[in-house]
């Protein structure tokens, strides 16, 4: 989805909550972010408004309360963000990205076996 690559890091934090809790209120989002982020409620409401403006979040009004829900699939957003990252940082080279990540990380034997299994499966 084209808009998903334009989600900021802060907006991703809000989206994680909306994906886990469809039809949540702004207050629900504020409550869930209060311990992990030092954002004021007004900041969170601004992030929600931006997501609405980008057609990533929709809402329904019930009296004075607004319920927010995602208009885009979480997996689609991840894929678009991954594709954008791959293009920006590695000029689209998946091999370069994987080699860089594998060389930098301490992989367990189990991780290595899982990777081998995935690669062997893709070989077929």
């Amino acid at each position: 989805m084209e808009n998903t690559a334009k989600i900021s890091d802060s907006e991703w934090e809000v989206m994680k909550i909306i994906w886990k809790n469809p039809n949540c209120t702004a207050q629900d989002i504020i409550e869930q972010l209060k311990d992990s982020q030092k954002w004021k409620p007004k900041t969170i409401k601004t992030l929600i408004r931006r997501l609405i403006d980008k057609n990533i979040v929709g809402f329904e009004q019930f009296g004075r309360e607004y319920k927010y829900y995602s208009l885009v699939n979480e997996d689609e957003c991840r894929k678009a963000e991954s594709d954008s990252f791959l293009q920006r940082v590695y000029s689209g080279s998946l091999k370069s990205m994987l080699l860089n990540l594998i060389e930098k990380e301490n992989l367990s034997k189990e991780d290595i076996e899982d990777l081998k299994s995935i690669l062997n499966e893709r070989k077929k």
Side-chain angles (χ1 to χ4, degrees), residues 30-74:
I30 291 166
E31 275 299 309
Q32 290 192 43
L33 288 173
K34 74 177 181 181
D35 294 331
S36 63
Q37 304 295 332
K38 302 294 183 214
W39 299 331
K40 294 182 179 183
K42 186 174 180 178
T43 301
I44 295 169
K45 289 178 182 178
T46 298
L47 293 170
I48 294 168
R49 171 57 48 203
R50 285 186 197 163
L51 290 164
I52 291 169
D53 291 344
K54 292 178 181 183
N55 291 319
I56 294 169
V57 167
F59 66 90
E60 289 185 41
Q61 185 174 359
F62 298 93
R64 295 183 57 172
E65 189 172 66
Y66 291 86
K67 301 265 185 172
Y68 300 100
Y69 55 89
S70 176
L71 296 173
V72 295
N73 180 285
E74 184 175 4

